[in-house]
Amino acid sequence: MVALDGVDFDLRRGEVHVLLGENGAGKSTLIKMLSGAYRPDGGRVLAGGEEVRIHDAQDSARLGIATIYQEFNLVPDLTVAENIFLGRQPRRLGMIDRKRMEADAAVLLERVGVNVSPRARVRELGIARLQMVEIAKALSLDTRVLIMDEPTAVLTSEEVEKLFSIVRQLRADGVGIVFITHHLEEIAAIGDRVTVIRDGKSVGQVPASTPEDELVRLMVGRSIEQQYPRERADTGAALLSVEGLTRDGVFHDISFEVRAGEVVGIAGLVGAGRTEVVRAVFGADPYDQGTITVAGDRVPKHDVNAAMTAGIGLVPEDRKGQGLVLDQSVERRTSGSSPCGPRPTAGSSTSRGSAPPPRGSRSSWAYGWPDSASRYGRCPAATSRRSSSASGCSPTPRC
Protein backbone atom coordinates (compact mmCIF):
# COMPACT_ATOMS: atom_id res chain seq x y z
CA MET A 1 0.00 0.00 0.00
CA VAL A 2 1.39 3.41 -1.01
CA ALA A 3 0.58 6.17 1.50
CA LEU A 4 2.19 8.98 -0.53
CA ASP A 5 3.06 8.94 -4.21
CA GLY A 6 5.17 11.74 -5.67
CA VAL A 7 3.80 14.55 -3.52
CA ASP A 8 5.23 18.00 -4.30
CA PHE A 9 4.86 20.73 -1.71
CA ASP A 10 6.69 23.96 -0.88
CA LEU A 11 6.44 26.49 1.91
CA ARG A 12 7.60 30.10 1.81
CA ARG A 13 8.79 32.28 4.63
CA GLY A 14 5.94 34.23 6.22
CA GLU A 15 3.02 32.36 4.63
CA VAL A 16 0.21 30.07 5.72
CA HIS A 17 0.06 27.09 3.37
CA VAL A 18 -3.06 24.97 3.78
CA LEU A 19 -2.94 21.20 3.24
CA LEU A 20 -6.35 19.98 2.17
CA GLY A 21 -7.69 16.50 1.56
CA GLU A 22 -10.17 13.89 2.70
CA ASN A 23 -9.44 11.58 5.64
CA GLY A 24 -6.85 9.07 4.48
CA ALA A 25 -5.55 11.28 1.67
CA GLY A 26 -2.02 11.31 3.13
CA LYS A 27 -1.81 14.64 4.97
CA SER A 28 -0.79 13.13 8.31
CA THR A 29 1.78 10.89 6.63
CA LEU A 30 3.35 13.90 4.94
CA ILE A 31 3.70 15.94 8.11
CA LYS A 32 5.06 12.94 10.02
CA MET A 33 7.80 12.68 7.42
CA LEU A 34 8.63 16.35 7.93
CA SER A 35 8.61 15.93 11.70
CA GLY A 36 10.86 12.85 11.64
CA ALA A 37 8.27 10.30 12.78
CA TYR A 38 8.31 8.52 9.38
CA ARG A 39 11.03 8.16 6.77
CA PRO A 40 10.16 8.53 3.08
CA ASP A 41 11.08 5.79 0.60
CA GLY A 42 11.87 8.32 -2.11
CA GLY A 43 11.94 11.98 -3.03
CA ARG A 44 13.82 14.93 -1.54
CA VAL A 45 13.33 17.46 1.24
CA LEU A 46 15.02 20.83 0.80
CA ALA A 47 15.47 23.53 3.44
CA GLY A 48 16.78 26.90 2.29
CA GLY A 49 17.54 25.36 -1.11
CA GLU A 50 19.75 22.61 0.33
CA GLU A 51 18.78 18.94 0.48
CA VAL A 52 18.41 17.65 4.04
CA ARG A 53 17.74 14.29 5.67
CA ILE A 54 15.16 14.06 8.45
CA HIS A 55 15.74 10.79 10.29
CA ASP A 56 14.12 11.67 13.61
CA ALA A 57 12.48 14.44 15.64
CA GLN A 58 15.88 15.87 16.59
CA ASP A 59 16.77 16.39 12.92
CA SER A 60 13.43 18.13 12.40
CA ALA A 61 13.96 20.39 15.43
CA ARG A 62 17.47 21.33 14.29
CA LEU A 63 15.94 22.53 11.00
CA GLY A 64 13.50 24.71 12.94
CA ILE A 65 10.46 22.52 12.22
CA ALA A 66 7.87 22.16 14.98
CA THR A 67 4.67 20.13 14.73
CA ILE A 68 1.46 20.49 16.74
CA TYR A 69 -0.59 17.32 16.30
CA GLN A 70 -4.31 16.88 16.86
CA GLU A 71 -3.43 14.84 19.94
CA PHE A 72 -1.40 17.19 22.10
CA ASN A 73 2.13 16.10 22.99
CA LEU A 74 2.01 17.31 26.60
CA VAL A 75 2.56 15.59 29.95
CA PRO A 76 -0.56 16.16 32.09
CA ASP A 77 1.12 15.99 35.51
CA LEU A 78 3.90 18.45 34.67
CA THR A 79 3.55 22.22 34.84
CA VAL A 80 3.17 24.46 31.81
CA ALA A 81 6.79 25.61 32.09
CA GLU A 82 8.06 22.04 32.48
CA ASN A 83 6.18 21.00 29.35
CA ILE A 84 7.44 23.92 27.29
CA PHE A 85 11.09 23.16 28.12
CA LEU A 86 10.82 19.39 28.56
CA GLY A 87 14.27 17.89 27.93
CA ARG A 88 15.76 21.38 27.52
CA GLN A 89 15.38 22.82 31.01
CA PRO A 90 17.81 25.66 31.80
CA ARG A 91 20.31 24.69 34.46
CA ARG A 92 22.37 26.46 37.10
CA LEU A 93 25.13 24.72 39.03
CA GLY A 94 23.93 21.39 37.68
CA MET A 95 20.36 21.89 38.91
CA ILE A 96 17.25 22.90 36.98
CA ASP A 97 16.90 26.67 37.15
CA ARG A 98 13.14 26.84 37.80
CA LYS A 99 13.08 30.60 38.24
CA ARG A 100 14.59 31.20 34.81
CA MET A 101 12.48 28.44 33.23
CA GLU A 102 9.25 29.92 34.55
CA ALA A 103 10.30 33.45 33.55
CA ASP A 104 11.14 32.32 30.00
CA ALA A 105 7.83 30.41 29.83
CA ALA A 106 5.95 33.52 30.94
CA VAL A 107 7.47 35.50 28.05
CA LEU A 108 6.41 32.83 25.54
CA LEU A 109 2.89 32.59 27.00
CA GLU A 110 2.53 36.36 26.79
CA ARG A 111 3.64 36.23 23.15
CA VAL A 112 0.80 33.82 22.29
CA GLY A 113 -1.65 35.85 24.34
CA VAL A 114 -2.72 33.26 26.88
CA ASN A 115 -3.29 34.16 30.52
CA VAL A 116 -2.05 31.08 32.34
CA SER A 117 0.52 30.60 35.08
CA PRO A 118 3.75 28.80 34.11
CA ARG A 119 3.29 26.84 37.35
CA ALA A 120 -0.17 25.53 36.44
CA ARG A 121 -0.51 21.80 35.90
CA VAL A 122 -1.32 20.97 32.29
CA ARG A 123 -4.15 18.62 33.30
CA GLU A 124 -5.99 21.64 34.76
CA LEU A 125 -6.17 23.46 31.40
CA GLY A 126 -8.92 23.44 28.78
CA ILE A 127 -8.41 22.49 25.14
CA ALA A 128 -7.90 26.07 23.91
CA ARG A 129 -5.19 26.79 26.49
CA LEU A 130 -3.49 23.47 25.75
CA GLN A 131 -3.33 24.57 22.13
CA MET A 132 -1.60 27.82 23.14
CA VAL A 133 0.86 25.94 25.35
CA GLU A 134 1.77 23.78 22.35
CA ILE A 135 2.38 26.91 20.28
CA ALA A 136 4.51 28.43 23.07
CA LYS A 137 6.49 25.19 23.20
CA ALA A 138 7.05 25.37 19.44
CA LEU A 139 8.23 28.99 19.67
CA SER A 140 10.72 28.03 22.37
CA LEU A 141 12.52 25.97 19.71
CA ASP A 142 13.23 29.02 17.55
CA THR A 143 10.74 27.67 15.04
CA ARG A 144 11.01 28.59 11.36
CA VAL A 145 8.33 26.15 10.18
CA LEU A 146 5.22 25.47 12.27
CA ILE A 147 2.97 22.56 11.26
CA MET A 148 -0.55 22.65 12.73
CA ASP A 149 -2.70 19.55 12.27
CA GLU A 150 -6.39 20.53 12.52
CA PRO A 151 -5.81 23.01 15.36
CA THR A 152 -9.40 24.32 15.26
CA ALA A 153 -11.16 20.94 15.38
CA VAL A 154 -12.37 21.31 18.98
CA LEU A 155 -12.27 25.09 19.46
CA THR A 156 -15.20 27.48 19.75
CA SER A 157 -15.57 30.32 17.23
CA GLU A 158 -14.07 32.81 19.71
CA GLU A 159 -11.12 30.51 20.39
CA VAL A 160 -10.61 30.01 16.66
CA GLU A 161 -10.41 33.76 16.07
CA LYS A 162 -7.88 34.11 18.89
CA LEU A 163 -5.81 31.33 17.35
CA PHE A 164 -6.00 33.01 13.95
CA SER A 165 -4.70 36.27 15.40
CA ILE A 166 -1.68 34.40 16.77
CA VAL A 167 -1.12 32.65 13.43
CA ARG A 168 -1.26 36.02 11.63
CA GLN A 169 1.32 37.43 14.05
CA LEU A 170 3.61 34.44 13.50
CA ARG A 171 3.25 34.90 9.75
CA ALA A 172 4.18 38.57 10.13
CA ASP A 173 7.26 37.46 12.10
CA GLY A 174 8.37 35.37 9.12
CA VAL A 175 7.35 31.92 10.33
CA GLY A 176 6.17 29.55 7.59
CA ILE A 177 3.00 27.75 8.70
CA VAL A 178 1.56 24.51 7.36
CA PHE A 179 -2.12 24.51 8.31
CA ILE A 180 -4.33 21.42 8.01
CA THR A 181 -8.09 21.88 8.28
CA HIS A 182 -11.35 20.33 7.15
CA HIS A 183 -13.26 23.57 7.63
CA LEU A 184 -13.34 25.09 4.16
CA GLU A 185 -14.49 28.49 5.42
CA GLU A 186 -11.21 28.82 7.38
CA ILE A 187 -9.03 28.57 4.27
CA ALA A 188 -9.76 32.03 2.88
CA ALA A 189 -9.72 33.51 6.39
CA ILE A 190 -6.20 32.37 7.29
CA GLY A 191 -4.48 30.81 4.26
CA ASP A 192 -2.31 32.14 1.44
CA ARG A 193 -2.01 29.03 -0.74
CA VAL A 194 -3.60 25.57 -0.77
CA THR A 195 -2.15 22.22 -1.78
CA VAL A 196 -4.78 19.53 -2.30
CA ILE A 197 -3.86 15.87 -1.70
CA ARG A 198 -6.04 13.05 -3.00
CA ASP A 199 -5.28 9.34 -2.63
CA GLY A 200 -1.68 10.06 -1.66
CA LYS A 201 -0.96 12.39 -4.59
CA SER A 202 -0.81 16.17 -4.83
CA VAL A 203 -3.48 17.07 -7.38
CA GLY A 204 -3.30 20.85 -7.36
CA GLN A 205 -1.95 24.01 -5.80
CA VAL A 206 -4.35 26.96 -5.80
CA PRO A 207 -4.78 30.34 -4.05
CA ALA A 208 -6.61 30.34 -0.72
CA SER A 209 -9.28 32.51 -2.36
CA THR A 210 -10.36 29.58 -4.57
CA PRO A 211 -14.13 28.97 -4.29
CA GLU A 212 -15.17 26.16 -1.97
CA ASP A 213 -16.89 24.22 -4.76
CA GLU A 214 -13.60 24.02 -6.67
CA LEU A 215 -11.73 22.91 -3.55
CA VAL A 216 -14.25 20.15 -3.02
CA ARG A 217 -13.91 19.08 -6.65
CA LEU A 218 -10.15 18.82 -6.27
CA MET A 219 -10.50 16.82 -3.05
CA VAL A 220 -12.95 14.21 -4.31
CA GLY A 221 -12.16 14.26 -8.04
CA ARG A 222 -15.62 15.26 -9.22
CA SER A 223 -18.10 18.09 -8.95
CA ILE A 224 -20.65 17.93 -6.17
CA GLU A 225 -23.76 19.96 -6.78
CA GLN A 226 -24.93 19.70 -3.19
CA GLN A 227 -22.41 19.12 -0.43
CA TYR A 228 -25.08 18.41 2.14
CA PRO A 229 -28.23 17.36 0.27
CA ARG A 230 -31.36 17.31 2.37
CA GLU A 231 -32.75 13.78 2.53
CA ARG A 232 -36.00 13.33 4.37
CA ALA A 233 -36.22 10.01 6.15
CA ASP A 234 -39.39 8.24 7.22
CA THR A 235 -39.38 8.50 11.00
CA GLY A 236 -41.15 6.09 13.28
CA ALA A 237 -42.36 6.20 16.84
CA ALA A 238 -40.35 7.74 19.67
CA LEU A 239 -37.34 5.51 20.33
CA LEU A 240 -35.50 7.49 23.03
CA SER A 241 -37.47 9.67 25.44
CA VAL A 242 -35.85 11.91 28.05
CA GLU A 243 -38.17 13.70 30.49
CA GLY A 244 -37.32 16.21 33.20
CA LEU A 245 -33.67 15.17 33.44
CA THR A 246 -32.02 17.22 36.21
CA ARG A 247 -28.65 17.23 37.90
CA ASP A 248 -28.33 19.92 40.54
CA GLY A 249 -25.99 22.69 39.46
CA VAL A 250 -25.31 21.13 36.04
CA PHE A 251 -28.54 20.90 34.01
CA HIS A 252 -32.23 21.31 34.82
CA ASP A 253 -35.48 19.86 33.46
CA ILE A 254 -34.11 18.56 30.14
CA SER A 255 -36.71 16.87 27.95
CA PHE A 256 -36.47 15.64 24.36
CA GLU A 257 -37.21 12.60 22.25
CA VAL A 258 -35.55 10.88 19.31
CA ARG A 259 -37.66 8.97 16.81
CA ALA A 260 -36.49 5.96 14.85
CA GLY A 261 -34.63 7.13 11.74
CA GLU A 262 -34.23 10.68 13.04
CA VAL A 263 -31.18 12.84 13.78
CA VAL A 264 -31.64 15.25 16.69
CA GLY A 265 -29.03 17.94 17.38
CA ILE A 266 -28.27 19.27 20.85
CA ALA A 267 -26.89 22.82 20.65
CA GLY A 268 -25.57 25.26 23.22
CA LEU A 269 -22.59 27.32 24.32
CA VAL A 270 -19.50 25.79 25.88
CA GLY A 271 -20.37 24.90 29.47
CA ALA A 272 -24.11 24.81 28.82
CA GLY A 273 -24.31 21.13 29.81
CA ARG A 274 -24.62 19.34 26.45
CA THR A 275 -21.89 16.80 27.18
CA GLU A 276 -23.15 16.22 30.71
CA VAL A 277 -26.67 15.47 29.44
CA VAL A 278 -25.60 12.84 26.90
CA ARG A 279 -23.25 11.24 29.43
CA ALA A 280 -26.16 11.01 31.86
CA VAL A 281 -28.35 9.44 29.18
CA PHE A 282 -25.61 6.87 28.53
CA GLY A 283 -25.32 6.13 32.26
CA ALA A 284 -21.77 7.43 32.60
CA ASP A 285 -22.81 10.25 34.96
CA PRO A 286 -25.53 10.36 37.63
CA TYR A 287 -28.61 12.58 37.65
CA ASP A 288 -31.01 13.56 40.43
CA GLN A 289 -34.41 13.60 38.73
CA GLY A 290 -36.08 12.58 35.49
CA THR A 291 -36.58 9.46 33.40
CA ILE A 292 -34.97 7.88 30.35
CA THR A 293 -36.87 5.33 28.29
CA VAL A 294 -36.01 3.38 25.15
CA ALA A 295 -38.96 2.07 23.16
CA GLY A 296 -41.13 2.54 26.23
CA ASP A 297 -38.84 0.65 28.64
CA ARG A 298 -37.29 2.65 31.45
CA VAL A 299 -33.48 2.61 31.62
CA PRO A 300 -31.95 2.49 35.12
CA LYS A 301 -29.97 5.58 36.07
CA HIS A 302 -26.16 5.67 36.20
CA ASP A 303 -25.83 2.18 34.65
CA VAL A 304 -23.76 2.01 31.46
CA ASN A 305 -24.36 -1.72 30.96
CA ALA A 306 -28.13 -1.22 31.17
CA ALA A 307 -27.98 1.67 28.70
CA MET A 308 -25.95 -0.37 26.21
CA THR A 309 -28.23 -3.38 26.62
CA ALA A 310 -31.15 -1.07 25.80
CA GLY A 311 -29.35 -0.07 22.59
CA ILE A 312 -27.80 3.28 23.56
CA GLY A 313 -24.30 4.02 22.24
CA LEU A 314 -21.99 6.95 23.00
CA VAL A 315 -19.00 8.32 21.10
CA PRO A 316 -17.50 10.64 23.75
CA GLU A 317 -16.05 14.10 23.20
CA ASP A 318 -12.58 12.90 24.27
CA ARG A 319 -12.23 9.85 22.01
CA LYS A 320 -8.80 8.75 23.17
CA GLY A 321 -9.21 9.64 26.84
CA GLN A 322 -12.70 8.20 27.38
CA GLY A 323 -13.63 6.10 24.34
CA LEU A 324 -10.58 3.92 23.71
CA VAL A 325 -8.06 1.75 25.51
CA LEU A 326 -4.90 2.84 23.72
CA ASP A 327 -2.84 -0.27 24.51
CA GLN A 328 -5.45 -2.62 23.02
CA SER A 329 -5.67 -3.52 19.35
CA VAL A 330 -8.43 -2.30 17.05
CA GLU A 331 -9.63 -5.92 16.68
CA ARG A 332 -9.94 -6.48 20.41
CA ARG A 333 -11.81 -3.25 21.14
CA THR A 334 -14.31 -3.66 18.30
CA SER A 335 -14.94 -7.38 18.78
CA GLY A 336 -16.76 -9.26 21.51
CA SER A 337 -14.35 -8.02 24.16
CA SER A 338 -15.23 -4.36 23.50
CA PRO A 339 -17.84 -2.43 25.48
CA CYS A 340 -20.35 -3.83 23.00
CA GLY A 341 -19.98 -7.23 24.66
CA PRO A 342 -18.97 -8.39 28.13
CA ARG A 343 -17.11 -5.61 29.90
CA PRO A 344 -13.70 -6.90 31.10
CA THR A 345 -12.44 -5.99 34.54
CA ALA A 346 -8.88 -5.42 35.67
CA GLY A 347 -6.93 -8.64 35.41
CA SER A 348 -9.73 -10.56 33.71
CA SER A 349 -9.25 -12.54 30.52
CA THR A 350 -11.15 -11.60 27.38
CA SER A 351 -11.98 -13.30 24.15
CA ARG A 352 -9.21 -13.21 21.59
CA GLY A 353 -10.86 -15.27 18.89
CA SER A 354 -13.16 -12.65 17.39
CA ALA A 355 -12.16 -11.69 13.87
CA PRO A 356 -12.21 -8.12 12.56
CA PRO A 357 -14.59 -7.21 9.75
CA PRO A 358 -13.32 -8.60 6.44
CA ARG A 359 -11.49 -6.07 4.34
CA GLY A 360 -13.81 -4.48 1.85
CA SER A 361 -16.85 -5.10 4.03
CA ARG A 362 -19.05 -2.23 5.15
CA SER A 363 -17.56 -2.20 8.65
CA SER A 364 -13.98 -2.27 7.35
CA TRP A 365 -14.71 0.60 4.96
CA ALA A 366 -16.71 2.67 7.42
CA TYR A 367 -14.08 2.65 10.12
CA GLY A 368 -11.02 2.94 7.89
CA TRP A 369 -9.51 -0.24 9.37
CA PRO A 370 -5.74 0.31 9.35
CA ASP A 371 -4.84 -3.19 10.56
CA SER A 372 -6.78 -5.32 13.01
CA ALA A 373 -3.63 -5.72 15.12
CA SER A 374 -2.85 -1.98 15.19
CA ARG A 375 -2.96 -0.31 18.57
CA TYR A 376 -5.08 2.80 19.02
CA GLY A 377 -2.14 4.78 20.35
CA ARG A 378 -0.51 4.52 16.91
CA CYS A 379 -3.59 5.29 14.83
CA PRO A 380 -4.17 8.73 13.25
CA ALA A 381 -6.74 10.88 15.04
CA ALA A 382 -9.35 10.42 12.30
CA THR A 383 -9.00 6.62 12.46
CA SER A 384 -9.24 6.72 16.25
CA ARG A 385 -12.48 8.69 15.96
CA ARG A 386 -13.97 6.08 13.61
CA SER A 387 -12.75 3.21 15.79
CA SER A 388 -14.21 4.96 18.83
CA SER A 389 -17.54 4.97 17.01
CA ALA A 390 -17.25 1.24 16.52
CA SER A 391 -16.25 0.40 20.09
CA GLY A 392 -18.78 2.83 21.57
CA CYS A 393 -21.79 1.17 19.99
CA SER A 394 -24.06 -1.30 21.70
CA PRO A 395 -24.42 -4.78 20.15
CA THR A 396 -27.59 -3.63 18.39
CA PRO A 397 -27.41 0.18 18.46
CA ARG A 398 -30.79 1.88 18.40
CA CYS A 399 -29.93 5.40 19.59
Side-chain angles (χ1 to χ4, degrees), residues 18 33 93-94 104-105 107 141 155 227 398:
V18 178
M33 288 179 178
L93 301 178
D104 291 346
V107 172
L141 297 167
L155 302 184
Q227 291 188 43
R398 305 166 77 183

Side-chain angles (χ1 to χ4, degrees), residues 41-122:
D41 299 312
R44 298 188 304 160
V45 177
L46 292 90
E50 297 183 3
E51 185 171 353
V52 297
R53 301 287 183 181
I54 303 177
H55 297 296
D56 51 35
Q58 285 72 30
D59 287 342
S60 181
R62 278 191 289 270
L63 292 169
I65 301 173
T67 304
I68 301 176
Y69 295 101
Q70 290 184 59
E71 308 295 337
F72 298 137
N73 191 23
L74 300 171
V75 183
D77 289 323
L78 295 183
T79 68
V80 170
E82 289 168 339
N83 269 277
I84 290 175
F85 293 103
L86 186 61
R88 303 173 291 111
Q89 298 94 330
R91 294 182 176 274
R92 184 172 180 269
L93 301 178
M95 304 290 289
I96 295 177
D97 189 344
R98 291 193 172 275
K99 185 175 181 180
R100 178 184 166 193
M101 181 174 66
E102 291 172 0
D104 291 346
V107 172
L108 292 166
L109 293 169
E110 183 178 1
R111 183 179 175 188
V112 298
V114 59
N115 183 21
V116 60
S117 170
R119 298 182 180 181
R121 298 282 174 184
V122 161

Side-chain angles (χ1 to χ4, degrees), residues 313-331:
L314 173 67
V315 179
E317 183 178 30
D318 181 358
R319 273 68 157 170
K320 285 198 170 182
Q322 299 174 357
L324 301 171
V325 179
L326 300 183
D327 288 335
Q328 288 188 0
S329 67
V330 175
E331 173 185 354

Side-chain angles (χ1 to χ4, degrees), residues 31-312:
I31 67 172
K32 285 180 179 179
M33 288 179 178
L34 297 176
S35 64
Y38 293 165
R39 294 189 185 183
D41 299 312
R44 298 188 304 160
V45 177
L46 292 90
E50 297 183 3
E51 185 171 353
V52 297
R53 301 287 183 181
I54 303 177
H55 297 296
D56 51 35
Q58 285 72 30
D59 287 342
S60 181
R62 278 191 289 270
L63 292 169
I65 301 173
T67 304
I68 301 176
Y69 295 101
Q70 290 184 59
E71 308 295 337
F72 298 137
N73 191 23
L74 300 171
V75 183
D77 289 323
L78 295 183
T79 68
V80 170
E82 289 168 339
N83 269 277
I84 290 175
F85 293 103
L86 186 61
R88 303 173 291 111
Q89 298 94 330
R91 294 182 176 274
R92 184 172 180 269
L93 301 178
M95 304 290 289
I96 295 177
D97 189 344
R98 291 193 172 275
K99 185 175 181 180
R100 178 184 166 193
M101 181 174 66
E102 291 172 0
D104 291 346
V107 172
L108 292 166
L109 293 169
E110 183 178 1
R111 183 179 175 188
V112 298
V114 59
N115 183 21
V116 60
S117 170
R119 298 182 180 181
R121 298 282 174 184
V122 161
R123 69 166 57 256
E124 300 170 357
L125 305 182
I127 294 295
R129 289 187 172 184
L130 292 176
Q131 186 82 259
M132 301 309 172
V133 172
E134 282 278 22
I135 296 174
K137 179 180 176 181
L139 295 180
S140 73
L141 297 167
D142 192 23
T143 298
R144 298 165 58 197
V145 173
L146 179 61
I147 302 172
M148 308 182 78
D149 188 4
E150 296 199 47
T152 64
V154 293
L155 302 184
T156 66
S157 56
E158 290 183 0
E159 292 166 345
V160 167
E161 189 50 47
K162 184 174 183 179
L163 174 65
F164 281 2
S165 67
I166 295 170
V167 170
R168 293 185 186 106
Q169 182 58 55
L170 293 174
R171 175 171 57 188
D173 291 342
V175 177
I177 299 166
V178 179
F179 195 93
I180 297 177
T181 183
H182 282 114
H183 299 292
L184 298 181
E185 70 278 5
E186 294 178 354
I187 294 174
I190 196 63
D192 297 302
R193 289 187 295 157
V194 182
T195 290
V196 182
I197 299 178
R198 184 174 72 237
D199 298 331
K201 299 180 180 180
S202 49
V203 296
Q205 190 175 103
V206 295
S209 57
T210 301
E212 290 185 9
D213 290 345
E214 175 63 11
L215 294 176
V216 172
R217 187 192 68 78
L218 288 170
M219 277 197 299
V220 302
R222 65 186 186 279
S223 297
I224 298 179
E225 300 302 325
Q226 284 185 293
Q227 291 188 43
Y228 308 104
R230 169 65 68 180
E231 296 180 2
R232 293 195 174 277
D234 294 330
T235 57
L239 186 58
L240 171 68
S241 296
V242 176
E243 296 183 4
L245 207 65
T246 298
R247 181 179 175 186
D248 292 342
V250 182
F251 50 81
H252 177 72
D253 196 22
I254 304 297
S255 299
F256 62 90
E257 67 177 21
V258 183
R259 298 178 177 274
E262 182 179 47
V263 176
V264 174
I266 299 178
L269 297 174
V270 174
R274 297 164 302 171
T275 299
E276 291 78 4
V277 167
V278 296
R279 283 178 57 86
V281 170
F282 187 62
D285 289 343
Y287 57 91
D288 301 310
Q289 298 178 33
T291 61
I292 300 169
T293 59
V294 174
D297 296 325
R298 186 164 179 171
V299 180
K301 66 168 61 176
H302 203 195
D303 189 335
V304 171
N305 283 330
M308 296 182 75
T309 300
I312 300 175

